[in-house]
Structure formats: structure tokens, C-alpha cells
Amino acid sequence: EDKLSAQVTALHAQHESSRAAFELRLVTDRDELAARVSSLELMHSAAQQQIVVESQVEERARAEMERLRSEHDRAITTYRQQTTLLSSELQETRADHIEHMSMLRSRQYLLLDERMQAQAEGHQQAILRHENTLAAARKEHQM
């Protein structure tokens, strides 16, 4: 009976030692799991923050792209309007130039015609003076 009692006591002590080791391992595993969970939660939180930041950056990039696209469209429209206006102005300027050149040519011809008429009148007067001088000289010679 003493032997049996000693075996029971030994088994009981062994059981208590195993239970204490198991509880220690359980506490250690729980602490490791808690640390892992905490680490994963931090990583998850950081990833969520990164997603939010990237989403904000992407939204700002989209807004900037839209602003640039709109600015580009306005610049193209302005360029086309200015090109059309300049083309019209150029056509008007060409027409004005052609008309002006035509008027200048007409004026040149008129001036040339006036000069020629003046020269002709001058020649005519010179001829009349010469004829008058000749007529006067004949009269004098006849007298």
C-alpha cells in the first residue's frame, strides 16, 4: 500500500509538473500569438493607411490630369480660333493689298498721263511761242 501510495504521489507530482509545463507553454504560445496578432494588426493598419494615401494620390493625379486635359482643350480651341481669325485677317490684308496696289498703279498711270499731258502742253506752248517768234521775225523782216 505504501508502494501504491508512493506511485500515486509520484503520478500526481508528474501530473502537476506536466500541467505546469503545459500551462507555461500555453501562456508562452498565447503571448506569442498575441504578439503576432498585434504585429499583423499593425501591418494591416499600415496597409490600410497606405491604401488611403495611394487612393488620395491617385485621386489628386486624376484631378490634375483632368485639369490638364481641360486646359489643353481650351488651348487647342483658342489656337483654332486665333488661327481662323488670323487667316481671315490675312485674307482681308491680301485683298486690301491687291486693292491698294491696283489704286497705286492707277495713280501712277494718272500721274504719268498728267505728266505727259503737261509735257505735251509745254511743247505746244513752246511751239506756239516759236511760231509767234517766227511770225514776229517775218513781220520785222517784211518791214
Side-chain angles (χ1 to χ4, degrees):
E1 189 173 308
D2 284 342
K3 192 176 177 183
L4 190 58
S5 176
Q7 282 180 340
V8 168
T9 302
L11 281 174
H12 187 49
Q14 185 181 6
H15 173 73
E16 283 299 319
S17 173
S18 292
R19 192 168 71 89
F22 177 76
E23 285 178 1
L24 181 62
R25 203 169 115 226
L26 191 64
V27 167
T28 303
D29 287 350
R30 185 191 68 204
D31 290 347
E32 284 178 13
L33 283 174
R36 282 185 190 170
V37 166
S38 178
S39 175
L40 287 173
E41 285 174 344
L42 285 173
M43 287 172 38
H44 178 70
S45 176
Q48 281 182 323
Q49 288 174 352
Q50 184 65 27
I51 288 169
V52 167
V53 167
E54 287 175 2
S55 177
Q56 290 170 344
V57 167
E58 186 177 316
E59 188 56 37
R60 282 194 299 269
R62 266 194 218 113
E64 180 66 9
M65 185 103 106
E66 188 57 37
R67 184 188 70 75
L68 289 173
R69 184 178 292 120
S70 177
E71 188 176 305
H72 177 262
D73 291 346
R74 279 192 308 272
I76 291 291
T77 300
T78 300
Y79 169 78
R80 287 181 180 152
Q81 289 170 344
Q82 288 176 345
T83 301
T84 301
L85 180 64
L86 288 174
S87 179
S88 295
E89 287 177 2
L90 180 61
Q91 288 174 354
E92 287 175 17
T93 302
R94 280 184 185 149
D96 289 347
H97 177 70
I98 289 168
E99 183 180 341
H100 184 69
M101 291 304 291
S102 177
M103 287 172 53
L104 284 176
R105 283 189 194 105
S106 294
R107 285 184 184 162
Q108 285 174 343
Y109 289 130
L110 287 174
L111 287 173
L112 182 61
D113 188 42
E114 286 174 6
R115 279 190 212 135
M116 290 175 73
Q117 284 179 1
Q119 283 178 350
E121 287 174 7
H123 289 301
Q124 192 68 29
Q125 289 174 359
I127 290 170
L128 284 174
R129 279 193 307 271
H130 183 64
E131 286 175 354
N132 288 339
T133 304
L134 280 175
R138 281 187 199 135
K139 275 187 179 179
E140 243 180 69
H141 185 66
Q142 289 175 353
M143 290 188 171

